[in-house]
Structures are given as C-alpha cells and as structure tokens.
Amino acid sequence: MAYFITVEGIDGAGKSTHLEFIQNYLNKKNIQNKLTREPGGTDIGEKLRRLLLHDEMDVGTETMMMFAARHEHIISVIQPALKSNISIVCDRFTDATYAYQQGGKGIDPSFIKSLVQLVHPDLTPDLTFLFDLDPEAAHSRISNERDLDKFEKQSLTFFNGVRKIYLELAKGHSRFHVIDSSQTIEQIQDIISIKLDELVK
C-alpha cells in the first residue's frame, strides 16, 4: 500500500530536519517512496517556486499560483507515484496554503476551498506531521547565513497567524499529529516512529 505523508510547520520549526528520517524509516520497512516538496516538485513547479518565494504579488495571484504548481505536481508526480504503489513524503501541501495565505495574509478560506475542489477534491494526505513552535523561537532558528525568502522575512504577527490556522486545522482533522518542536531531535524522531508504526502496521 502507498501512503501520502505530509510535513507542515512555520518556517524555523524544524520540519526539514525530519524529512530524511521519515524517508529512511520507510526505506527500512521496504516501502518504496519519493520525497518531494511544495511549491515545487516539478520543473514547472520549481520555476513557480522561485516567483512565489521572492516576488511580491497580490495574495489572490499568489494563492492561484500555488495551486497551479500543485496541480502540475499532483498530475506529474504524486498521483503517478501513488498509483504505482510508491509512497509520497511531501514537504508542505494544501494545509500550508491555508496557514500562510489565509492565516498570514488574510485571504478568504472559501477561495482556497474552491481551488481545492478544482485541483484535488479527492486527494488528502494519510498522515500529516505538524511541527509546532512558538514563532519567536522559530525565527531565531532561521539562519542568517543565507538570503531569506519573502515569507521568512515576515513579522511575528504574520507567523502567529500562520501558526493559529495550522493548529485549527490540526484540531479539525484526525490525520494531523502535532509535534512540539522544542523537544530534542531524538525525542521528536521517537514520536515520528510511533506514528509511522501506526500508519504502516
């Protein structure tokens, strides 16, 4: 059986640290898998990613562009993999659009829902790990050694809004597992292993 696993969280919450661990877990279980990301995951998606992360635009344009990249990602990568019994581990998916464009930038959630119905009405992750951390602590983790994208440069107010929507989504969907990112890497990976054991048993 193929699984669709997504990893979510505000910038600096540490989710990227654990993507490889999840993939290694699946490998040890002999579960074929593919690691991908959003926005991106395809040649077109990566081009759109560069625009989305660095160019200022209206939030409606930004949201539709996210879904354009997502549509290409789904038809070119995600659906073919799942149909071929290859599990997907995805760094962000539609939950991130609700969190960032609704929670951070204030777009009406009904606008996002209408795009979900157009792009993937029947595709939902089997398991979503939400790495949760206070935005102030998360911001301090973001490296100053590289150029920050336009989202990483946002205010704490923005990230508090993003976090609020993430936690609301988690309360409303049983597929979510919220992980306190202030714990040690070992503690977090023990939790991830337990949840993955429950998924693939």
Side-chain angles (χ1 to χ4, degrees):
M1 180 177 177
Y3 305 97
F4 183 20
I5 301 167
T6 56
V7 178
E8 299 281 357
I10 64 172
D11 295 280
K15 65 181 177 58
S16 300
T17 305
H18 304 290
L19 286 162
E20 185 179 353
F21 177 81
I22 295 170
Q23 192 173 34
N24 287 338
Y25 172 97
L26 296 174
N27 289 336
K28 288 175 184 176
K29 295 287 186 179
N30 295 315
I31 297 172
Q32 278 189 284
N33 63 87
K34 181 177 180 61
L35 179 62
T36 187
R37 70 176 182 177
E38 289 206 349
T42 65
D43 289 343
I44 291 172
E46 292 297 326
K47 290 174 183 176
L48 291 174
R49 179 186 178 90
R50 287 191 288 275
L51 292 172
L52 285 162
L53 297 190
H54 299 289
D55 290 21
E56 293 299 333
M57 61 188 76
D58 179 80
V59 64
T61 305
E62 186 175 271
T63 304
M64 288 188 286
M65 195 179 291
M66 286 283 184
F67 272 92
R70 183 163 296 135
H71 182 263
E72 185 70 17
H73 193 205
I74 289 168
I75 64 171
S76 299
V77 177
I78 297 175
Q79 285 181 335
L82 295 175
K83 287 177 182 177
S84 299
N85 207 33
I86 298 170
S87 293
I88 288 287
V89 180
C90 194
D91 182 356
R92 300 196 191 283
F93 192 59
T94 298
D95 297 313
T97 308
Y98 282 107
Y100 280 79
Q101 277 67 51
Q102 177 194 345
K105 296 195 172 184
I107 199 165
D108 191 322
S110 64
F111 185 76
I112 302 174
K113 288 177 184 176
S114 67
L115 292 170
V116 171
Q117 288 304 307
L118 285 170
V119 174
H120 63 95
D122 302 315
L123 178 65
T124 305
D126 297 300
L127 174 63
T128 299
F129 288 109
L130 173 58
F131 291 91
D132 180 54
L133 190 64
D134 176 77
E136 195 164 350
H139 185 73
S140 68
R141 289 183 175 185
I142 298 175
S143 173
N144 292 320
E145 296 177 359
R146 61 180 175 81
D147 292 334
L148 302 182
D149 66 44
K150 73 179 187 186
F151 293 103
E152 293 168 331
K153 292 175 183 176
Q154 293 288 338
S155 67
L156 288 176
T157 300
F158 174 91
F159 283 110
N160 279 318
V162 172
R163 184 191 190 195
K164 178 176 179 287
I165 294 299
Y166 264 138
L167 292 174
E168 287 178 4
L169 288 168
K171 286 180 182 177
H173 299 88
S174 59
R175 62 180 166 84
F176 271 88
H177 187 75
V178 181
I179 296 177
D180 177 0
S181 286
S182 66
Q183 300 174 94
T184 66
I185 290 175
E186 291 75 17
Q187 288 173 319
I188 290 171
Q189 292 183 346
D190 284 345
I191 294 167
I192 292 171
S193 293
I194 290 168
K195 297 308 294 184
L196 289 173
D197 283 343
E198 293 174 1
L199 178 68
V200 307
K201 65 183 179 182

